[in-house]
């Protein structure tokens, strides 16, 4: 039979599918019985799950495996890993809590969700750190084995929240995960400590049963991961299966849920789940192949950019060379040398590393060589919040160098979009002979979503021509090579590979004479070179800004980078309520799209949400004299759609 159902798992989340009601999870769902009438199955349109526990409890692995199976099932999804910066914070403490949130649906979604429908809390610290995000009526699965008096006191519980009535507003499932896992693994002869490590797999099995997730991929993954320790692999599989069977047999879980694949949400193609850092890595490899150039990465490990170094080091077969330098300055110095030598050169870092690289970025501006500076932004200043997200490096990317040293800036908007943004940054760097900033952030880097694998013939042609001989004739008829003689359209100088006969020329940071590249202290020449370098960046061809405005709105929301998902979800909510509101999202931040000024002036109010203190809003106000209203957040987490929708209502008067 079919009916309208409002289960505990339907009471929270965001309706960010196009045309969805603002009310979370409002959809016609079905109920059915398993074969034999064992248990009821309810169909939902979407679910938000959060796994939380100690850093050593394997929450990131658990979330990643659940995500992989959900992707293979065909749901649209979005994830939010959230973990401490410490390698291992003190066990059982609030600073040591690690969590992984997954939002999956049968339709198009854009964010990891505002509130978890289901919280899996492996200990008291995990419960205390996350209970404030769970809506009334939400489901909580707690590992009762960890709720000892000492563990509860460590996080400020004077009495057990499982017994004092403080959780009455929720549907609480008390499960002795540790005990059940140890019991399930008795036959393997493991020590208690070794067996306890598999409790995350028990939890994963239970949640896989609750939401009808595939299991074959996880079992195959475990056998591969522990190939050298087959007994450990089989123990983890046994724990995983025990969790599934527990859900099937226990009376505490009377209902399981089903979220259908999101077939209509995706264009035809082959899809895979991908994180932002992985998509960016693949984009860099694709760019090097499309440019027919070797890829060189000069980098120093830094959270959250290190995964790009790790990934690219696996692809030597594609002509990729990775160099883990002793510090940030050496990393970019090596990359710039590789650019001089004819490679597609990249350096990766996060905010503090950009500061250290700034002089060499200025040298790249002066030398006019293609170089990609990938900045995976994190909370700051200084060392700041290494594992939390922020968008506060925009001004540093725009102006964080001595002298007039303009650099193009490109920003991806979703994890999958990091692939296309890498190709676009490479296009600009190669065509205009300039360093380019690619501004991602921790939310995009670690988050994941489905990505359609492109066909090779869909990728842009990025091939360039190196200088091969003289390009200028002197008054006496002598043919010479001028390293700063420019393409009249792009103002790009020729790219001469070292060792090419007859193309010898000076390099270095001291100002050069226009054309010849000789050292010059002439005031007029310096003025000309500064203005020429700026004109080159200003003249970069970028697409016009597209505006989503179906109703002739008076208010425009402008975003950049990872705010795309929350902004779009908030806009959808407002439109579902009948509020007309327009949206535009910037990929190119320097130069801005040519039509940006005209777009801004069409609207009575312009609102700019950012995860900083208003850096894009400041740039817009300064350049276009538009009274842009800034809405900001700097708490290390992405915007929530409901919070943003309310702010847009108030700021935009919609």
């Amino acid at each position: 039979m079919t009916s309208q159902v409002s289960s505990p798992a339907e009471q929270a989340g965001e309706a960010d599918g196009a045309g969805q009601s603002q009310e979370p999870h409002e959809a016609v769902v079905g109920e059915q019985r398993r074969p034999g009438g064992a248990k009821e199955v309810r169909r939902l349109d979407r679910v938000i799950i959060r796994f939380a526990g100690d850093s050593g409890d394997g929450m990131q692995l658990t979330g990643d495996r659940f995500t992989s199976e959900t992707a293979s099932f065909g749901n649209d999804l979005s994830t939010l890993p959230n973990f401490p910066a410490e390698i291992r914070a003190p066990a059982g403490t609030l600073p040591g809590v690690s969590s992984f949130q997954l939002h999956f649906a049968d339709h198009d979604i854009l964010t990891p969700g505002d509130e978890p429908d289901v919280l899996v809390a492996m200990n008291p610290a995990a419960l205390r750190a996350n209970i404030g995000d769970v809506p009334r009526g939400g489901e909580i699965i707690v590992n009762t084995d960890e709720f000892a008096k000492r563990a509860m006191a460590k996080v400020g519980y004077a009495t057990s929240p499982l017994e004092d009535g403080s959780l009455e507003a929720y549907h609480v499932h008390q499960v002795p995960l540790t005990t059940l896992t140890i019991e399930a693994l008795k036959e393997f002869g493991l020590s208690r400590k070794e067996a306890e490590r598999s409790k995350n797999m028990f939890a994963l099995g239970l949640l896989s049963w609750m939401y009808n997730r595939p299991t074959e991929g996880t079992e195959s993954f475990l056998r591969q991961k522990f190939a050298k320790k087959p007994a450990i692999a089989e123990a983890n599989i046994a724990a995983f299966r025990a969790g599934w069977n527990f859900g099937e047999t226990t009376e505490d879980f009377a209902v399981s849920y089903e979220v259908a694949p999101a077939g209509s949400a995706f264009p035809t193609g082959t899809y895979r789940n991908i994180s932002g850092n992985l998509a960016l890595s693949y984009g860099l490899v694709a760019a090097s192949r499309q440019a027919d150039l070797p890829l060189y990465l000069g980098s120093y490990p830094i959270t959250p950019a290190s995964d790009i170094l790790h990934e690219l080091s696996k692809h030597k077969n594609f002509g990729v060379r990775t160099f883990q330098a002793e510090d940030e300055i050496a990393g970019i110095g090596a990359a710039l040398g590789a650019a001089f030598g004819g490679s597609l050169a990249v350096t990766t870092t996060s905010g503090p590393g950009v500061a250290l690289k700034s002089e060499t970025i200025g040298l790249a501006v002066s030398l006019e060589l293609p170089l990609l500076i990938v900045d995976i932004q994190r909370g700051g200043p200084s060392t700041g919040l290494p594992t939390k997200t922020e968008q506060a490096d925009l001004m540093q990317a725009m102006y964080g160098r001595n002298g007039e040293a303009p650099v193009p800036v490109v920003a991806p908007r979703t994890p999958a979009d990091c692939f296309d943004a890498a190709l676009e940054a490479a296009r600009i760097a190669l065509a205009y002979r300039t360093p380019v900033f690619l501004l991602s952030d921790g939310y995009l880097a670690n988050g994941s979503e489905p990505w359609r694998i492109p066909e090779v013939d869909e990728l842009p042609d990025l091939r360039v021509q190196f200088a091969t001989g003289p390009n200028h004739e002197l008054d006496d008829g002598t043919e010479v090579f001028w390293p700063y003689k420019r393409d009249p359209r792009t103002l790009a100088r020729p790219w001469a590979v070292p060792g090419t006969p007859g193309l010898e020329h000076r390099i270095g940071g001291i100002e050069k004479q226009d054309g010849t590249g000789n050292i010059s202290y002439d005031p007029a020449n310096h003025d000309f070179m500064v203005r020429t370098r700026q004109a080159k960046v200003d003249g970069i061809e970028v697409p016009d800004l597209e505006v989503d405005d179906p109703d002739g709105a008076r208010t425009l929301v402008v975003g950049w980078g990872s705010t795309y998902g929350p902004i779009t979800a908030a806009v959808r909510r407002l439109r579902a309520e009948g509020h007309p509101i327009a949206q535009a999202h910037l990929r190119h931040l320097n130069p801005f799209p040519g039509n940006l000024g005209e777009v801004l002036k069409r609207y009575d109010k312009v609102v700019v949400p950012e995860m900083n203190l208003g850096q894009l809003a400041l740039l817009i106000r300064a350049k276009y004299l538009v009274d842009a209203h800034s809405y900001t957040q700097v708490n290390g987490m992405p915007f929530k759609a409901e919070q943003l929708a309310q702010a847009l209502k108030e700021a935009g008067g919609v």
Side-chain angles (χ1 to χ4, degrees):
M1 65 178 183
T2 46
S3 63
Q4 184 127 346
V5 177
S6 180
S7 74
E10 293 174 80
Q11 302 302 315
E14 73 195 67
D16 60 16
Q20 296 290 320
S21 164
Q22 183 203 1
E23 291 302 318
H25 297 278
E26 185 153 337
V28 176
V29 300
E31 299 180 1
Q32 63 185 62
R33 294 281 175 179
R34 292 177 181 272
K39 289 194 176 182
E40 178 184 328
V41 180
R42 294 182 186 171
R43 285 191 290 111
L44 306 178
D45 63 338
R46 56 198 169 81
V47 174
I48 303 165
I49 297 173
R50 184 182 298 176
F51 298 94
D54 261 337
S55 295
D57 284 340
M59 294 298 94
Q60 302 305 317
L61 175 62
T62 305
D64 183 67
R65 288 313 314 159
F66 196 95
T67 299
S68 294
E69 298 294 5
T70 297
S72 69
F73 188 72
N75 296 121
D76 194 10
L77 62 89
S78 180
T79 68
L80 178 62
N82 186 18
F83 42 87
E86 291 81 5
I87 293 175
R88 182 67 194 271
T93 64
L94 292 174
V97 173
S98 175
S99 67
F100 188 105
Q101 182 162 306
L102 166 68
H103 182 188
F104 61 101
D106 65 3
H107 59 270
D108 172 37
I109 58 173
L110 295 155
T111 77
D114 288 0
E115 301 170 323
D117 303 317
V118 181
L119 170 65
V120 180
M122 302 297 282
N123 60 19
L127 178 65
R128 182 141 202 146
N130 293 281
I131 188 63
D133 292 336
V134 183
R136 294 176 64 86
E139 295 194 61
I140 302 174
I141 300 172
V142 293
N143 180 13
T144 55
D145 288 328
E146 297 296 324
F147 279 72
K149 184 175 293 185
R150 182 178 178 184
M152 291 187 290
K154 193 180 292 187
V155 294
Y157 281 128
T159 59
S160 172
L162 306 181
E163 301 172 355
D164 63 10
S166 60
L167 300 179
E168 287 182 352
Y170 311 98
H171 294 264
V172 180
H173 303 276
Q174 299 189 36
V175 182
L177 287 172
T178 306
T179 299
L180 290 171
T181 302
I182 293 172
E183 182 68 23
L185 302 185
K186 270 187 175 180
E187 64 181 88
F188 290 90
L190 302 175
S191 68
R192 179 182 177 88
K193 186 175 182 180
E194 288 174 327
E196 282 183 8
R197 291 174 182 164
S198 297
K199 64 180 181 288
N200 64 323
M201 288 296 106
F202 189 101
L204 177 60
L206 174 58
L207 268 293
S208 297
W209 174 85
M210 283 182 67
Y211 292 98
N212 285 275
R213 298 297 90 186
T215 61
E216 295 81 3
T218 293
E219 294 191 9
S220 176
F221 167 83
L222 290 170
R223 289 192 174 97
Q224 183 177 0
K225 180 178 176 63
F226 297 106
K228 295 182 179 179
K229 299 179 179 179
I232 298 297
E234 293 307 315
N236 277 281
I237 291 170
F240 176 67
R241 291 175 177 173
W244 176 282
N245 293 333
F246 178 79
E248 181 72 37
T249 57
T250 183
E251 295 182 2
D252 193 28
F253 293 91
V255 178
S256 68
Y257 304 97
E258 186 176 88
V259 180
S264 61
F266 303 116
T268 302
T270 302
Y271 286 79
R272 59 158 293 166
N273 184 52
I274 201 165
S275 69
N277 273 351
L278 184 57
L280 203 155
S281 300
Y282 287 173
L284 294 173
V285 175
S288 75
R289 293 298 81 210
Q290 292 303 104
D292 196 22
L293 296 174
L295 178 65
Y296 184 93
L297 174 66
S299 182
Y300 178 75
I302 184 171
T303 302
S306 299
D307 285 343
I308 301 172
L309 172 61
H310 301 159
E311 181 61 34
L312 289 181
S313 68
K314 303 174 184 177
H315 298 293
K316 295 181 177 64
N317 56 311
F318 288 114
V320 178
R321 295 293 178 267
T322 53
F323 170 54
Q324 180 175 320
E326 65 269 27
D327 56 40
E328 296 281 5
I329 299 171
I332 190 173
L336 184 57
F340 179 63
S343 293
L344 176 58
V346 185
T347 189
T348 53
T349 190
S350 191
V354 176
L356 292 167
K357 296 177 187 291
S358 62
E359 182 181 3
T360 308
I361 298 172
L363 178 58
V365 171
S366 178
L367 294 177
E368 299 185 49
L369 287 171
L371 173 67
L372 302 186
I373 305 107
V374 177
D375 178 9
I376 312 297
Q377 300 166 95
R378 70 190 204 187
S382 189
T383 312
L385 304 172
T387 59
K388 309 302 178 183
T389 196
E390 205 163 272
Q391 286 183 299
D393 293 352
L394 178 56
M395 287 299 190
Q396 180 174 224
M398 289 285 291
Y399 302 116
R401 293 163 295 284
N402 59 293
E404 295 285 347
V407 175
V409 181
V410 174
R413 64 185 188 178
T414 69
D417 188 49
C418 289
F419 178 87
D420 295 318
L423 284 164
E424 175 64 0
R427 176 192 73 85
I428 294 173
L430 294 170
Y432 294 88
R433 309 287 197 271
T434 178
V436 177
F437 261 102
L438 180 56
L439 289 184
S440 180
D441 61 38
Y443 170 38
L444 295 184
N446 297 315
S448 62
E449 65 176 353
W451 172 58
R452 187 182 74 84
I453 301 172
E455 300 294 334
V456 173
D457 58 10
E458 297 174 1
L459 302 178
D461 184 352
L462 302 180
R463 287 174 294 181
V464 297
Q465 294 295 322
F466 291 112
T468 58
N471 61 357
H472 183 75
E473 186 176 307
L474 299 178
D475 292 340
D476 63 4
T478 304
E479 291 187 341
V480 296
F481 175 67
W482 274 15
Y484 285 85
K485 185 168 185 175
R486 303 178 182 279
D487 180 294
R489 183 180 67 85
T490 64
L491 299 182
R493 77 177 187 92
W495 194 0
V497 176
T500 306
L503 304 190
E504 298 86 354
H505 60 278
R506 293 179 182 273
I507 61 169
I510 295 178
E511 186 61 282
K512 296 145 190 66
Q513 184 182 52
D514 178 45
T516 69
N518 294 331
I519 293 174
S520 173
Y521 294 94
D522 178 66
N525 178 77
H526 176 60
D527 182 274
F528 179 81
M529 292 295 283
V530 168
R531 295 181 187 277
T532 300
R533 288 188 288 259
Q534 183 65 57
K536 179 168 69 170
V537 173
D538 292 342
I540 292 172
E541 295 178 2
V542 301
D544 278 349
L545 181 65
E546 295 182 1
V547 182
D548 177 16
D549 184 3
D551 303 310
R554 298 174 59 190
T555 298
L556 173 69
V557 188
V558 178
W560 71 277
S562 66
T563 57
Y564 173 77
I567 289 174
T568 306
V571 165
R572 288 179 179 179
R573 290 187 179 209
L574 293 175
R575 289 176 181 171
E577 292 178 6
H579 302 296
I581 187 167
Q583 177 188 1
H585 206 78
L586 290 165
R587 162 169 283 178
H588 297 91
L589 297 155
N590 192 32
F592 285 131
N595 67 332
L596 177 57
E598 180 271 324
V599 166
L600 295 171
K601 288 180 170 58
R602 291 207 306 254
Y603 294 89
D604 296 340
K605 292 186 178 180
V606 176
V607 185
V608 186
E610 298 180 78
M611 293 188 294
N612 56 45
L613 294 183
Q615 297 183 18
L616 175 60
L618 184 63
L619 292 172
I620 286 176
R621 291 171 69 97
K623 185 172 180 64
Y624 299 105
L625 303 181
V626 170
D627 186 19
H629 177 91
S630 187
Y631 180 72
T632 64
Q633 173 178 295
V634 282
N635 62 6
M637 297 293 287
F639 284 111
K640 293 183 176 180
E642 178 57 35
Q643 157 209 0
L644 197 50
Q646 187 60 37
L648 293 177
K649 271 188 193 178
E650 297 170 359
V654 297

